[in-house]
Amino acid sequence: MKEKGRFLKKYRGNECLNCGVPLDIIDRYCHNCGQINTIKKLSFKDFFNEFFASIFSYDSRLRHTVVGLLFKPGMISKDYIEGKRIKYANPFRFFLSVSILFFIINGLFIDFDQMALQFNSGQKLAAEDSKRTKAGVIEINTSSSDSSKTTKNSSEQIYFTEAQLDTMSMFTAINKRWKTYKSHYKKTEEVLPSVALDSLKHKQNTYTRYLYTRSIKTKNLNDNPMELLIFVFNKLPFIIFFFLPFFALIMWLLYIRKPFNYMEHLVFIFHTQTMFFILIGIAVLIDQITKSEVTSSIAMLVFLFYLYKAMRKFYQQGRAKTIVKFLLVNVLFFILAGIGSVITIVGSMFIF
């Protein structure tokens, strides 16, 4: 590599400016802490030269990783667990980087505003249908007393005192307290938990304030569930990142007789899922250009074939056994994905 800027020999010192370890003029970096051996003051030009050099230096590992993932299914994972790691990007960090980039690019093509508009239009039509239905019922039941009862019931506020809640079981009390808070917010639109709880004469603590805040959020989500969808979508890279270790556990159980530990299965999972995002990401871009969804469908089929080849290469089993385990893996994946989706949505409602 051609030396320039702060790397020139004339700028090298006799000791590391960072840790003080003695150095020789041939040392480009400190062998103790890794810092550049230079006494030259940092200039604007040097700063940007080193910035772009670090990008292209990482690009070397990035190139080996991407090429290996694309054209040698399972090979990178096999190399990595055998200790051949210097030329490849870290599988965990690389997966997270690719997945975040995928969701950023994909998010550019998802029109949440249009989806919200369509949802609100659907709600408006449903409300109009409901009004017409109620109008028909009112025409049939013209009794003024019945009408007044209906009005009274619809405006009735749900309220349970603290003393009443204390006599209930834990889950019943949570349910009644939740309904009380939702009813109070619906009537008063009070957003401050302390003010609302004081008005209701309920306990003022972290739990009750949290529950009141969540009841408001839930009410708002009922009116505009797109907010929850956007929230979950933005968190998907991290959700999937923490979801994959459970999938690796399934792989460990399926190949329990193979000499792989859990972390080696996890390396394989992160590599294959990174490939999934690369393929689908490229397909999404092509579909946006061609205004079709054909490429995405083809990419899914390509990935399934890729996964089969990767499993054969990495686990070194015959065709028949690999096909059986491949089918089982996909069934278990969709079951686990379904459970994970439910947990994610429910959990998001409590942290949104």
Side-chain angles (χ1 to χ4, degrees), residues 65-94:
T65 304
V66 172
V67 170
L69 282 175
L70 284 171
F71 302 110
K72 298 178 181 178
M75 179 59 75
I76 283 186
S77 303
K78 197 168 184 298
D79 283 350
Y80 201 86
I81 67 169
E82 289 176 353
K84 303 170 185 177
R85 301 170 186 169
I86 191 66
K87 67 178 182 179
Y88 299 123
N90 180 283
F92 312 112
R93 187 167 56 187
F94 187 54

Side-chain angles (χ1 to χ4, degrees), residues 8 48 57 64 102 125 181 183 246 252 254 286 298 304 320 328 341:
L8 292 171
F48 279 97
S57 174
H64 283 110
F102 169 81
L125 289 173
Y181 293 165
S183 177
F246 295 100
W252 178 72
L254 283 175
I286 294 174
I298 294 172
L304 290 174
L328 190 56
S341 299

Side-chain angles (χ1 to χ4, degrees), residues 249-318:
L249 183 61
I250 292 176
M251 299 297 288
W252 178 72
L253 292 171
L254 283 175
Y255 289 95
I256 197 165
R257 293 184 178 181
K258 284 288 183 179
F260 298 108
N261 63 30
Y262 174 78
M263 287 304 298
E264 289 169 341
H265 289 290
L266 192 58
V267 166
F268 174 76
I269 292 299
F270 275 111
H271 276 147
T272 53
Q273 291 305 303
T274 301
M275 185 61 190
F276 172 79
F277 283 124
I278 290 174
L279 282 175
I280 300 300
I282 293 171
V284 167
L285 290 174
I286 294 174
D287 281 344
Q288 288 299 317
I289 295 170
T290 59
K291 304 298 181 183
S292 70
E293 297 181 359
V294 176
T295 312
S296 295
S297 301
I298 294 172
M300 285 298 298
L301 295 174
V302 170
F303 173 73
L304 290 174
F305 178 72
Y306 175 91
L307 179 60
Y308 161 75
K309 295 292 289 183
M311 288 174 66
R312 278 209 69 187
K313 181 67 178 178
F314 184 73
Y315 293 109
Q316 298 289 299
Q317 283 193 328

Side-chain angles (χ1 to χ4, degrees), residues 14 25 30 66 99 103 174 195 245 251 304:
N14 296 320
I25 195 170
C30 172
V66 172
S99 62
F103 283 105
I174 291 173
V195 176
M251 299 297 288
L304 290 174

